[in-house]
Amino acid sequence: MSTLNPTETEWNLRVDLAAAFHLAVAHNLHEAIANHFSAMLPDGQHFLVNPFGLHFSEITASNLIVCDFNGKVIRGEGEPSASAHHIHAPIHRLIPRARVLMHTHQPYATALTMIAQGRLEWALHTTCRFYGRVAYDTG
């Protein structure tokens, strides 16, 4: 695998993955910088993923990084988030047909999954900002 110039197949995959990030933004299917998409490269040993710290709207075909299953960045600048590596690498390694993975925390889906018996569960970092600031009408 070249360290500088991607193949035409890889470039097309980069363009498609970058477009998926921008579609996620257009449809509000993201949460700041804490989400990640990945796509397996044809060699079956490496995958593209967004570097941690970029908002989905900032992702381009050129700034996606190439990682191996051990979390080593093979090409590109930045690092994947730890959760991106720990979620995507094992799935891509163990399920080769999982060519593209998209992990998002959409605002409404996250909110709905954090409710148990009508009350907000304090099980996600984003719910902590509401701790001690929520009231329930049980009448």
Side-chain angles (χ1 to χ4, degrees):
M1 170 179 285
S2 167
T3 58
L4 297 175
N5 299 316
T7 65
E8 182 178 355
T9 301
E10 180 183 325
W11 183 252
N12 291 335
L13 188 58
R14 285 173 170 273
V15 169
D16 288 346
L17 191 58
F21 285 106
H22 289 267
L23 283 168
V25 170
H27 295 284
N28 200 27
L29 302 174
H30 64 95
E31 177 191 58
I33 61 169
N35 300 222
H36 21 85
F37 293 176
S38 65
M40 277 300 296
L41 291 174
D43 70 1
Q45 302 298 310
H46 300 95
F47 59 94
L48 295 168
V49 67
N50 52 306
F52 180 72
L54 293 179
H55 187 273
F56 274 20
S57 64
E58 299 175 293
I59 302 294
T60 65
S62 298
N63 64 21
L64 292 167
I65 56 178
V66 177
C67 294
D68 66 14
F69 296 138
N70 296 316
K72 180 180 176 190
V73 176
I74 304 300
R75 195 166 359 132
E77 294 187 26
E79 297 287 328
S81 71
S83 61
H85 167 68
H86 292 294
I87 293 169
H88 294 249
I91 295 172
H92 282 308
R93 183 174 51 80
L94 295 170
I95 308 170
R97 70 182 182 280
R99 306 299 296 166
V100 175
L101 303 174
M102 298 177 174
H103 179 193
T104 64
H105 297 229
Q106 306 94 313
Y108 306 113
T110 301
L112 290 173
T113 61
M114 295 308 300
I115 295 175
Q117 299 176 6
R119 296 189 179 267
L120 186 61
E121 290 291 313
W122 308 111
L124 187 65
H125 64 285
T126 52
T127 60
C128 292
R129 71 179 128 191
F130 300 110
Y131 188 77
R133 299 172 58 201
V134 175
Y136 296 99
D137 180 1
T138 58

